[in-house]
Amino acid sequence: MTAQADQAAGRLFEEHRDGVDFTSISDTFGISDISGAYDVQDRFVPLLMTRYGKPCGYKIGLTSKAMQEMCGIDQPIAGVVLDGVVAKSGVEISLSDHGRIGIEFE
């Protein structure tokens, strides 16, 4: 799985950098479970750190049963928040600088 996870992380990083809309990596790289997704994340985050700095926190997602069902998983997920993507209170952001903005009230 290591080579596939490395390749998947590299593709995600390039697409993120280039502003390409997200597409699933599960079929292309044979990643079909949470463990495989975390393997990719473990390789993707260091790539992102080259642009956005060090971790400053962590996040959980898909904490509701409805969101888990919508995404086809049966548990919450965890991730890293990097310093360079945190917007301080009161800052103005441009929608054109982002792909799809979402706000979660959890």
Side-chain angles (χ1 to χ4, degrees):
M1 177 59 93
T2 301
Q4 292 159 317
D6 286 336
Q7 292 171 355
R11 185 181 109 184
L12 288 172
F13 179 74
E14 290 169 2
E15 290 180 353
H16 179 75
R17 178 197 64 211
D18 298 342
V20 175
D21 287 342
F22 174 79
T23 57
S24 176
I25 59 170
S26 60
D27 291 337
T28 304
F29 297 100
I31 297 161
S32 60
D33 60 14
I34 294 290
S35 176
Y38 280 124
D39 285 344
V40 173
Q41 179 176 268
D42 288 345
R43 290 157 176 81
F44 183 52
V45 168
L47 297 174
L48 288 175
M49 288 171 58
T50 65
R51 294 190 73 189
Y52 301 111
K54 296 180 180 180
C56 63
Y58 299 91
K59 60 184 176 179
I60 58 170
L62 307 179
T63 58
S64 73
K65 199 58 147 170
M67 291 304 292
Q68 291 169 16
E69 289 173 0
M70 183 182 85
C71 293
I73 63 171
D74 63 357
Q75 63 190 36
I77 56 174
V80 176
V81 178
L82 301 177
D83 188 55
V85 298
V86 174
K88 308 295 184 211
S89 180
V91 71
E92 291 186 25
I93 61 171
S94 173
L95 291 176
S96 64
D97 291 339
H98 303 278
R100 290 183 219 123
I101 291 186
I103 299 173
E104 293 183 51
F105 299 94
E106 296 187 72

